[in-house]
Amino acid sequence: MQIHVYQTPELAAEAAATLIASEILAKPNAVIGLPTGSSPVETYRRLARMNRDGVVDFSKVTTFNLDEYVGLKGDHPQSYRRFMNENLFDHVNIDKENTHVPCGIGDVEANAVAYEEAIAAAGGIDLQFMGIGRNGHIGFNEPADAYTDVTGIIELTPSTIDANKRFFDSADDVPRKAISMGVGTIMRARKTLLIATGSDKAEAIRTLVKGPVSPKLPASALRMHANAVIILDAAAASLLD
Ligand code: F6R
C-alpha cells in the first residue's frame, strides 16, 4: 500500500486527478470505478479541467460507480446518478452509455447480479477510486463480521445515516438501504485509489493503516491489495505518527 500525504485537500485532489488521468492516458479505454460524496468533488473538478484543456480524453472510458441508494430514481436530487452527472459526466466528453451507476429501483437483487455481469463484460475494473466513511466503510460496505463479496443490498448503519443526513431535509429522509459493490468487487480491481481529507477521517485512516485487517473496518481489506494507493491531506493523516 502506497501512502501519499499532502498539506492541503486541494493538493490531495490534484494528486488523485493526476493518477486517474495517467491511467486513462496509458489506457484510453480504461474501466474506472468511481465514488460519490464530498471526497471526490475536487478531483472531479480537476479531471473536468484536464478534459477541457485537452490533456485527457474520456471518449473511450467506461465507468462503474460504487453505489446508489435503494428507492431513489436517477433523477432524484440526492441520487448518485444525478451527483455523477452534475459533478463529472456533464463536464467531460464521456459517452453516458458507458457510465454505470447501480440501479436502486425495481428488482434490486436482479440489478445487483446484472451489475457484476456488466463489470465482468467490460473486462473488470482497471482503477477503483473511492472515499472512506468515518466508520471505515468503502462503497456502502459497513463494518460487519465478514467482508461482503459481490454487489448487493446493504442496510445503512446509524453512523452512515447521520453522516449523510446533511444532503437531505432530515435524517428520516435518508434511505435505509443501498445497493453497493462488495468489498470483493473492489478488491478485484487491478488498482485502487482511496482519497481521504479532513480530521473526521483521521481515526478511520489510523485504523486502516495501523489496525488489524478486519471486516470491522471494511477499508482495511485494501492492505491485502497488491496495488493500492492512499492519498491523504495532513488532517486525515494526523494520527499516523
Ligand atoms: C460514496 C461512497 C462512500 C463515501 C464515503 C465518504 O459513493 O462510496 O463510501 O466515499 O461515505 O463520504 P464523503 O466523501 O462524503 O465523506
Side-chain angles (χ1 to χ4, degrees):
M1 201 164 68
Q2 285 177 49
I3 302 175
H4 301 290
V5 181
Y6 297 89
Q7 273 314 307
T8 66
E10 290 76 20
L11 288 173
E14 192 73 31
T18 303
L19 209 144
I20 295 166
S22 307
E23 182 72 23
I24 298 169
L25 286 174
K27 185 179 179 192
N29 64 345
V31 179
I32 312 280
L34 296 173
T36 60
S38 315
S39 306
V41 169
E42 284 297 321
T43 303
Y44 291 158
R45 208 192 307 276
R46 283 160 173 77
L47 285 171
R49 188 196 62 214
M50 287 183 200
N51 183 244
R52 209 169 42 241
D53 292 348
V55 176
V56 62
D57 174 15
F58 280 78
S59 64
K60 298 190 183 71
V61 170
T62 295
T63 64
F64 286 91
N65 263 80
L66 281 164
D67 42 23
E68 177 61 283
Y69 289 114
V70 167
L72 298 195
K73 289 193 178 145
D75 58 358
H76 186 284
Q78 297 310 331
S79 81
Y80 286 175
R81 160 56 72 183
R82 174 109 169 235
F83 175 98
M84 288 309 301
N85 287 346
E86 289 177 352
N87 284 278
L88 183 65
F89 301 151
D90 287 345
H91 308 288
V92 295
N93 68 331
I94 198 161
D95 180 349
K96 287 242 178 84
E97 292 286 314
N98 295 335
T99 67
H100 305 271
V101 179
C103 178
I105 51 169
D107 184 344
V108 185
E109 295 275 6
N111 298 346
V113 172
Y115 204 67
E116 283 289 325
E117 287 171 356
I119 293 171
I125 294 171
D126 292 304
L127 173 64
Q128 177 65 56
F129 181 34
M130 74 196 95
I132 182 171
R134 293 184 306 208
N135 63 2
H137 72 215
I138 46 176
F140 267 125
N141 297 287
E142 302 284 22
D145 292 333
Y147 290 114
T148 54
D149 182 9
V150 293
T151 302
I153 300 171
I154 309 262
E155 302 266 349
L156 304 194
T157 61
S159 155
T160 299
I161 292 166
D162 183 59
N164 290 5
K165 70 180 184 208
R166 67 192 194 277
F167 299 115
F168 292 83
D169 289 340
S170 77
D172 287 344
D173 294 320
V174 182
R176 267 34 188 177
K177 289 183 184 174
I179 172 171
S180 176
M181 282 187 198
V183 174
T185 321
I186 294 168
M187 290 293 283
R188 284 186 283 278
R190 288 181 270 281
K191 296 178 195 160
T192 66
L193 167 62
L194 185 146
I195 187 168
T197 57
S199 56
D200 62 335
K201 301 291 172 67
E203 182 58 37
I205 292 299
R206 188 190 66 75
T207 313
L208 162 56
V209 176
K210 303 205 167 208
V213 173
S214 158
K216 303 275 185 218
L217 191 103
S220 65
L222 296 172
R223 293 242 303 274
M224 309 297 285
H225 197 285
N227 204 338
V229 175
I230 312 274
I231 288 181
L232 306 172
D233 72 347
S238 59
L239 299 179
L240 287 184
D241 300 325

